[in-house]
Amino acid sequence: MSKYYCLITGLPDLTVDDGKLAYTVADFKTEIYPELSSHDQSLVDLFYLRYDNANLLKLLKDKDAVTDRRGCFSPEELLDLIRLSKDNVRSSLYPAYLYEFLSSYWNDKEMAALQEDFLATCYYDFAMKSKNRFVSSWFEFNLNVNNILLAFSARRYKLDVASRIIGHTAASDALRASTARDFGLSSALDYFERVQQISETADLVEREHKVDLLKWDWLDDATFFHYFSIEKVFAFLLRLDILERWIVLDKDKGNELFRKMIGTLKDEIRIPEEFRK
């Protein structure tokens, strides 16, 4: 397993000027990503593939659509994937879940109306199979949080819960099947009650803020015993993503998260006693 002593202690300074972030998720891709081992790059790719998911859906509707350049694949590569999938031809260049999605897209007309949800399911299933425990747990955590919020929202408006849940986890199954007030998850997920409280927040911006703070706290806990590993680097990217979105959405809350991030980074670069010997 690669150790990134110099990289982590030398992570770029993050500064906020007039509500703009001086270092971005795109900068990470061009400046830090090349320093990672090929194995660790493949882990980080799981984060950037979400942009490819959105780009693929756009290109299926319009081959000339403007795409997000932060993905792993260029528009031309995604268009090649679309053409290959039509002919049932596979290339090792692309993740298997994209072929799984496209196969259903071409062959199941009923699925077309639910294409975004199905692609998300394929993506999460693929990411949760990662052999890196931190990475797989991160994706499962995100899927569960999103599904719990959807389930409570559906109940509130007397809508069908099961049809709105995506992915394949124990929590997903419980949310689809259970009629209990807590879907039988209070004792299974230590963050369930916090998500339930968040779901009761009426203001959508405030609710989003609380969700991101929950994710931030999860990252703190999950990387507590990781010092100079890919987990620490991955967590930096995830926090950067959260911060970047809030600088765009809400300057004050973005600055609040920025101050929290700087505090976290200062703690992280203190070399543990075991590494000083």
Side-chain angles (χ1 to χ4, degrees):
M1 181 179 293
S2 299
K3 293 292 184 181
Y4 300 103
Y5 303 101
C6 294
L7 189 154
I8 289 175
T9 55
L11 283 173
D13 292 332
L14 298 175
T15 59
V16 179
D17 181 22
D18 296 326
K20 294 182 180 179
L21 192 62
Y23 194 84
T24 66
V25 166
D27 293 329
F28 182 101
K29 185 69 176 292
T30 58
E31 297 178 19
I32 294 180
Y33 182 88
E35 297 186 40
L36 305 178
S37 69
S38 58
H39 175 269
D40 290 343
Q41 284 179 347
S42 69
L43 294 177
V44 173
D45 285 343
L46 293 172
F47 169 86
Y48 286 100
L49 279 168
R50 66 182 191 173
Y51 300 112
D52 294 297
N53 295 341
N55 289 340
L56 180 62
L57 292 175
K58 286 182 181 179
L59 292 170
L60 283 168
K61 295 177 181 177
D62 177 7
K63 64 181 179 62
D64 297 315
V66 176
T67 57
D68 192 322
R69 294 287 178 169
R70 290 175 292 183
C72 297
F73 301 103
S74 68
E76 293 74 22
E77 288 172 325
L78 289 176
L79 288 171
D80 281 342
L81 167 64
I82 291 172
R83 285 191 287 269
L84 288 171
S85 68
K86 278 187 175 180
D87 296 329
N88 199 29
V89 176
R90 296 200 173 206
S91 167
S92 59
L93 174 66
Y94 305 102
Y97 82 90
L98 291 177
Y99 281 107
E100 179 185 355
F101 163 72
L102 286 167
S103 176
S104 293
Y105 180 84
W106 300 126
N107 298 309
D108 187 349
K109 293 182 179 179
E110 293 183 2
M111 194 279 294
L114 301 172
Q115 56 183 291
E116 187 171 350
D117 285 349
F118 183 65
L119 178 54
T121 294
C122 294
Y123 170 60
Y124 275 107
D125 285 350
F126 179 75
M128 287 187 297
K129 291 176 183 175
S130 170
K131 293 182 180 179
N132 181 289
R133 185 175 180 181
F134 167 79
V135 173
S136 61
S137 296
W138 165 255
F139 281 99
E140 181 175 355
F141 166 73
N142 274 266
L143 177 62
N144 288 342
V145 169
N146 292 338
N147 277 334
I148 292 168
L149 291 172
L150 283 171
F152 277 118
S153 179
R155 270 192 179 175
R156 186 174 300 113
Y157 295 104
K158 302 187 185 307
L159 301 172
D160 178 60
V161 174
S163 63
R164 287 164 173 77
I165 303 303
I166 68 170
H168 303 96
T169 67
S172 299
D173 293 341
L175 290 168
R176 292 187 183 98
S178 178
T179 57
R181 183 176 182 276
D182 67 349
F183 298 96
L185 292 174
S186 290
S187 59
L189 302 175
D190 58 7
Y191 49 84
F192 178 84
E193 290 186 7
R194 189 169 170 184
V195 179
Q196 183 176 14
Q197 293 171 357
I198 292 172
S199 74
E200 296 167 358
T201 304
D203 184 271
L204 295 179
V205 174
E206 185 62 26
R207 183 166 66 185
E208 187 71 13
H209 182 228
K210 289 180 179 178
V211 168
D212 280 344
L213 286 177
L214 170 63
K215 292 178 179 180
W216 199 288
D217 290 341
W218 187 93
L219 288 170
D220 285 346
D221 292 339
T223 58
F224 187 80
F225 292 107
H226 294 286
Y227 303 120
F228 300 102
S229 63
I230 184 57
E231 289 83 0
K232 216 67 164 180
V233 178
F234 204 122
F236 174 83
L237 172 61
L238 296 171
R239 291 187 182 112
L240 182 61
D241 177 50
I242 292 172
L243 180 58
E244 186 175 331
R245 286 193 297 108
W246 278 105
I247 290 298
V248 174
L249 292 172
D250 187 310
K251 180 181 176 182
D252 291 337
K253 285 189 169 59
N255 283 327
E256 178 184 339
L257 284 172
F258 169 75
R259 289 190 293 273
K260 185 175 177 69
M261 186 173 195
I262 292 301
T264 300
L265 289 176
K266 286 180 179 178
D267 289 339
E268 288 179 355
I269 63 175
R270 291 174 186 158
I271 300 176
E273 192 66 33
E274 65 189 89
F275 286 99
R276 297 177 184 172
K277 298 177 181 178

